[in-house]
Amino acid sequence: MSDLIVIGFDSQDEATAALTECKKLEKEYLLDLEDAVVVVRTADGKLHLQQSVNLEKVGASYGLFSGGFWGALVGLLCLNPLAGFVAGSIVGAGAGAIAGKMSDYGIDDNFIKSLGATIPANTSALFVLVRKSQPDKVLADLREFKGHARVLQTSLSPENENKLRAALGQMAAPAPAA
């Protein structure tokens, strides 16, 4: 089961820097990200989402190849495979891009927008959905953000959440009321 972790940062650039660090950890096989989104709130209060997976491009690429194949096949039946390939590629890429734009992967966009609306202006937040990790090594690497970041929300166990808060220089989470 994946864990959701949302960390708020004091500036607009730090969430992007933290995502870059997470991608580096992913290349070292210390972290396995399912999805990651950077949310930036500008001075005028507008939210900007930067998805780590661009589904529009993925859909267009898949549609291009798939449409080209089927277009060439139909064109072959009509004795003009080149025209079928071109027409199929264009239609497939367009349909794939539209499908990619309308789909959602990983972290729910409505959740991201609702939690992102709570962060102050000129700050940012990093939403990560983690499949697996080596917590001790990851926490040691994230200490560079100590004092500039705070945990906004997690689905981690209380023990692991407190370790993350400690690595970021934050007090432990308050105990839930009984």
Side-chain angles (χ1 to χ4, degrees):
M1 182 174 169
S2 299
D3 288 313
L4 174 69
I5 302 168
V6 183
I7 301 175
F9 294 90
D10 295 336
S11 76
Q12 293 184 15
D13 301 333
E14 285 180 302
T16 305
L19 179 58
T20 303
E21 190 65 31
C22 288
K23 296 234 182 220
K24 185 184 108 189
L25 291 169
E26 197 170 29
K27 287 180 183 174
E28 296 171 5
Y29 300 102
L30 298 174
L31 189 61
D32 185 12
L33 295 177
E34 186 173 330
D35 191 19
V37 179
V38 172
V39 176
V40 176
R41 185 153 195 179
T42 57
D44 60 2
K46 290 187 180 178
L47 284 180
H48 299 280
L49 276 61
Q50 301 164 3
Q51 302 275 354
S52 65
V53 177
N54 187 340
L55 294 175
E56 195 172 339
K57 286 183 183 176
V58 171
S61 298
Y62 177 76
L64 176 76
F65 293 117
S66 167
F69 171 75
W70 288 108
L73 192 62
V74 170
L76 188 61
L77 294 173
C78 299
L79 301 176
N80 198 346
L82 184 59
F85 174 77
V86 171
S89 296
I90 292 170
V91 170
I98 290 170
K101 186 157 184 76
M102 296 176 78
S103 61
D104 190 15
Y105 169 78
I107 307 168
D108 182 44
D109 285 349
N110 293 326
F111 170 74
I112 294 170
K113 290 175 185 173
S114 67
L115 189 58
T118 65
I119 65 173
N122 287 324
T123 62
S124 59
L126 175 62
F127 291 69
V128 290
L129 198 56
V130 179
R131 282 189 202 106
K132 293 185 286 186
S133 69
Q134 298 292 327
D136 295 335
K137 294 179 180 181
V138 171
L139 290 175
D141 219 43
L142 293 179
R143 290 191 204 287
E144 71 179 82
F145 299 102
K146 190 172 189 169
H148 303 280
R150 65 209 163 282
V151 176
L152 299 179
Q153 189 164 347
T154 74
S155 64
L156 295 170
S157 68
E159 178 186 329
N160 288 339
E161 182 176 342
N162 287 334
K163 286 180 183 179
L164 176 61
R165 288 179 185 276
L168 297 174
Q170 197 178 1
M171 292 176 43

